[in-house]
Amino acid sequence: MRIFIVEDEPDILRAIEYNLRKEGFETESANDGNIAMEKIIARPPDLAILDIMLPGLDGITLCKALRASKKTSTIPIIMLTARTLEIDKVTGLESGADDYITKPFSIMELIARIRAILRRTRVNSDSDEKLKSEDLELDIEKVTVKVKNKNIKLTAIEFIILKELLKNKNKVLSRESILEKIWKTEDSSNIETRTVDVHIMNLRKKLGKAAEHLETVKNFGYSWRENV
Ligand code: CA
């Protein structure tokens, strides 16, 4: 497993790299957004950690660019956001990141998040079934989503949310229960439910017309409505 870290503060970068290597990950890094972009495209890693404030391209722009490029569109991305800047968290997720972690953070927490994301993105043992809804088809084993036979690129978290919604058609899933599905064994109590809304918003954009089944249940959660 190779993890790419983009961080311009040498102490933080050194600490992350040291600890990830100790945990058995390979690491590669850059301290500038433009250089990071070149290196990541040249050799896509298994996961990328992006700081937001960077020389060259900032982390948000970099994240969007990676999502837009075919070679890198599904790489799991964790954003490092500045403390207390709520806006950073939201824009981080809107730009397509799978998760964010607020500075200052503990390396152990970062490693736990990395492991959680990698566990989710690896082919899961659920079953080989396909979930369908009209023109939409989600293949659990292949981790693909198609609308009218056209591949839709989702992030790891968007995929899990859609899978849960389709598995539970016409039931209402609370935002908390969706968070639990995303984080499985991790303690999700300190993750804000607002992040679910942002992932759902991104999911809607990507699904286009197929998302008309995705209903918001105000102040509670979401449901995939379909006449049976
Ligand atoms: Ca920085």
Side-chain angles (χ1 to χ4, degrees), residues 7-9 51-55 103:
E7 170 61 79
D8 60 327
E9 287 167 65
D51 187 26
I52 290 188
M53 299 291 283
L54 290 166
K103 286 178 174 179

Side-chain angles (χ1 to χ4, degrees), residues 116-137:
I117 290 187
L118 290 177
R119 202 163 47 233
R120 292 195 305 261
T121 45
R122 251 173 259 144
V123 175
N124 51 60
S125 54
D126 254 348
S127 70
D128 58 358
E129 65 183 309
K130 289 179 180 174
L131 301 171
K132 290 180 184 175
S133 172
E134 287 185 16
D135 297 333
L136 184 140
E137 185 184 290

